[in-house]
Structure formats: structure tokens, C-alpha cells
């Protein structure tokens, strides 16, 4: 997990306004890919709720966006806690009166140490599942009423391409991210009659600037060599797909999983 004093890359914004007027909650948006999602959504015209367990980082991101002339505010949230997820949505409704988009990005990954599955403690297993899978469920459940009230909207769940390769030594993480795909498909069926789309993104290995056990130079070189695109992926490579799925251009796309891993896996 990044420290509060860790240098973060500058937020980049583009001219597209595909999300004009939409209110978007993005979890895990205080750092890493979520932070770039927040900037991309704001640049596309959305009013962004920067939600993160680290409220200080969340407010830092929100303040940068408002300082750049965008609409944003921050909420501290533990996605694995039912009441915290509900409070996040309540704060959004109080501030903006609507929710149009939920991006379930919050997850435990960088803090994990690679280890054989039979060395993963039951408590560590539960914590990863609680945040990476149950957290998605709780946030979706908390926002469902607001999306129905709005008469439509978008849910974008962040899975991982580690599911496709069955990456070893991260069994709890891979299992949770596989569950996100199943949740996405079933929820798309349940919310489709309310004109709510539910889709998943499967990022590959992305350089977020956050140190992690699996991103040693030799491992990164092997990952890049296995991709069709022989370059390190950046958060901006993922953000464009998220903006598209949240936009009206993707209103007929639901229950789908889009792999963004530089061509490591083909579906």
C-alpha cells in the first residue's frame, strides 16, 4: 500500500465530455489506477466521488481535481463494511442527489506477499475475499436503489487478467477476482430491466507506481515479453475503457468482461 507521502504521478485530463452531468463513485480512488480513473472521469464531465479507505489520500485527489476546475469530493470508506458502503452512497446522494456510475476498484493487492496457497492464513484469505469480492457486492447493493431511482446507470467492476492465467502464489487474490466476473454476469441479468449495465475490466500488470512483491524488474520483463504489445501498461491504458463503459455509447453493453493486458491473453 502506498504511503501518504509517496509521490504520485500528475493527474492527466483529456477533452472528451462523454460523462457530462453523470455522478460517479470510484472506490480505491486515492491512489494508483483509481486515482487515474478519477481524473479521467472528471475530465469527461463527471462529478466524481473519490472514495478510499485512506481518507487523507482521497481528499488530496479530490482537492487536486477541484483545483483544476472539476467537480469532486472525497469520502472515506471501508468497502468490506456494510454500513461504511451505505454511508458512502448516502453522502453522495446528500451532495449530488443522484448516482449514475459505480466503479468498484478498491482491492488489496500491492500489500500482499506472494506465497504458496497452503501458506496463506485463514485470516489473510478472509481479508482479501472480504475486500476484493464481498466489497464489490456491498457497494453494488448499497448503490442499487439509487441507480434504479435514476432509471439507469453503469456499474464497472475491476477484475484481473490473473484469473485467465491462474497466476500462482496469489490464490486468494485470483479467486476473488474470478468471483467478480461471476458477480458481474449475474448482476447484469438482475439489473438489466432497470437499464443498468454491469461490466468488468480485466487489467493486466499495470505500473501504478506502488511497490509490490510481483513487480520486481525480472518479473516485469517477463510480463512485457509475454504481451503482444511490448511495453509496460499504465493506468491511463485502463481508464479509457472505464470511461467508455460509463458513457451512453456503451448503453447496449452489459455482462461483459474486457481484457486490457497488452495482448497477453486472447478471449
Amino acid at each position: 500500500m502506498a504511503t501518504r507521502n509517496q509521490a504520485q504521478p500528475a493527474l492527466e485530463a483529456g477533452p472528451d465530455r462523454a460523462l457530462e452531468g453523470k455522478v460517479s463513485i470510484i472506490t480505491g480512488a486515492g491512489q494508483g489506477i483509481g486515482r487515474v480513473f478519477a481524473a479521467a472521469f472528471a475530465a469527461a464531465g463527471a462529478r466524481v466521488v473519490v472514495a478510499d479507505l485512506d481518507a487523507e489520500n482521497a481528499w488530496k485527489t479530490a482537492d487536486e481535481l477541484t483545483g483544476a476546475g472539476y467537480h469532486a469530493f472525497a469520502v472515506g470508506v471501508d468497502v468490506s463494511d456494510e454500513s461504511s458502503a451505505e454511508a458512502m452512497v448516502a453522502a453522495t446522494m446528500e451532495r449530488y442527489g443522484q448516482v449514475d456510475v459505480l466503479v468498484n476498484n478498491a482491492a488489496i493487492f500491492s500489500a500482499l506477499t506472494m506465497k504458496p496457497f497452503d501458506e496463506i492464513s485463514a485470516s489473510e484469505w478472509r481479508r482479501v475475499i472480504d475486500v476484493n469480492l464481498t466489497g464489490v457486492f456491498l457497494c453494488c447493493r448499497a448503490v442499487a436503489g439509487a441507480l434504479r431511482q435514476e432509471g439507469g446507470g453503469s456499474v464497472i467492476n475491476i477484475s484481473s487478467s490473473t484469473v485467465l492465467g491462474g497466476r500462482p502464489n496469489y490464490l486468494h487474490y485470483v479467486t476473488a477476482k474470478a468471483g467478480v466476473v461471476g458477480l458481474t454476469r449475474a448482476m447484469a441479468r438482475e439489473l438489466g430491466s432497470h437499464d443498468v449495465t454491469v461490466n468488468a475490466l480485466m487489467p493486466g500488470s499495470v505500473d501504478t507506481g506502488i511497490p509490490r512483491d510481483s513487480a520486481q524488474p525480472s518479473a516485469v520483463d517477463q510480463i512485457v515479453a509475454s504481451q503482444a504489445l511490448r511495453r509496460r501498461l499504465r493506468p491511463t491504458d485502463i481508464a479509457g475503457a472505464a470511461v467508455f463503459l460509463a458513457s451512453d455509447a456503451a448503453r447496449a453493453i452489459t455482462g461483459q468482461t474486457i481484457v486490457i493486458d497488452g495482448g497477453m491473453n486472447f478471449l
Side-chain angles (χ1 to χ4, degrees):
M1 180 177 295
T3 63
R4 294 178 180 178
N5 295 323
Q6 182 176 326
Q8 297 271 16
L11 294 174
E12 298 179 15
D16 189 6
R17 305 291 290 183
L19 305 183
E20 191 71 52
K22 293 182 184 291
V23 175
S24 303
I25 299 173
I26 304 174
T27 67
Q31 64 176 2
I33 293 176
R35 183 171 176 271
V36 175
F37 282 165
F41 274 61
R47 289 169 283 176
V48 177
V49 180
V50 180
D52 202 282
L53 182 63
D54 187 333
E56 185 176 327
N57 266 353
W59 275 111
K60 182 177 179 181
T61 298
D63 288 344
E64 287 185 56
L65 292 174
T66 56
Y70 299 118
H71 296 282
F73 87 108
V75 176
V77 65
D78 178 353
V79 299
S80 69
D81 181 83
E82 180 178 3
S83 60
S84 185
E86 291 173 352
M88 172 185 70
V89 176
T92 301
M93 293 298 291
E94 181 178 355
R95 179 69 173 252
Y96 292 128
Q98 68 188 71
V99 181
D100 303 280
V101 182
L102 169 65
V103 181
N104 282 306
N105 170 71
I108 297 174
F109 179 54
S110 60
L112 297 176
T113 299
M114 299 177 70
K115 64 186 70 170
F117 78 91
D118 52 349
E119 294 180 13
I120 296 173
S121 68
S123 61
E124 182 177 333
W125 171 273
R126 292 190 189 100
R127 180 59 180 159
V128 172
I129 298 297
D130 282 351
V131 173
N132 295 11
L133 180 55
T134 305
V136 175
F137 162 70
L138 292 175
C139 289
C140 287
R141 193 179 68 175
V143 83
L147 292 174
R148 293 188 185 105
Q149 176 182 310
E150 192 64 20
S154 306
V155 176
I156 301 162
N157 300 320
I158 308 304
S159 179
S160 169
S161 69
T162 57
V163 172
L164 301 176
R167 187 170 185 175
N169 299 318
Y170 279 122
L171 188 69
H172 41 7
Y173 179 82
V174 175
T175 300
K177 290 301 188 178
V180 167
V181 175
L183 179 151
T184 296
R185 293 174 177 176
M187 194 170 291
R189 293 286 187 188
E190 292 200 36
L191 291 178
S193 62
H194 300 280
D195 204 28
V196 176
T197 63
V198 186
N199 293 288
L201 296 178
M202 272 189 173
S205 180
V206 179
D207 183 5
T208 63
I210 302 173
R212 60 181 185 269
D213 197 36
S214 63
Q216 302 303 314
S218 59
V220 169
D221 289 344
Q222 290 179 357
I223 290 168
V224 172
S226 68
Q227 298 173 178
L229 301 177
R230 300 299 175 87
R231 64 175 177 83
R232 192 81 163 100
L233 301 182
R234 308 291 179 184
T236 49
D237 292 319
I238 316 302
V243 169
F244 168 68
L245 288 175
S247 75
D248 290 343
R251 293 311 306 155
I253 301 174
T254 195
Q256 304 306 306
T257 301
I258 300 176
V259 182
I260 312 174
D261 66 357
M264 180 183 292
N265 296 281
F266 296 153
L267 292 181

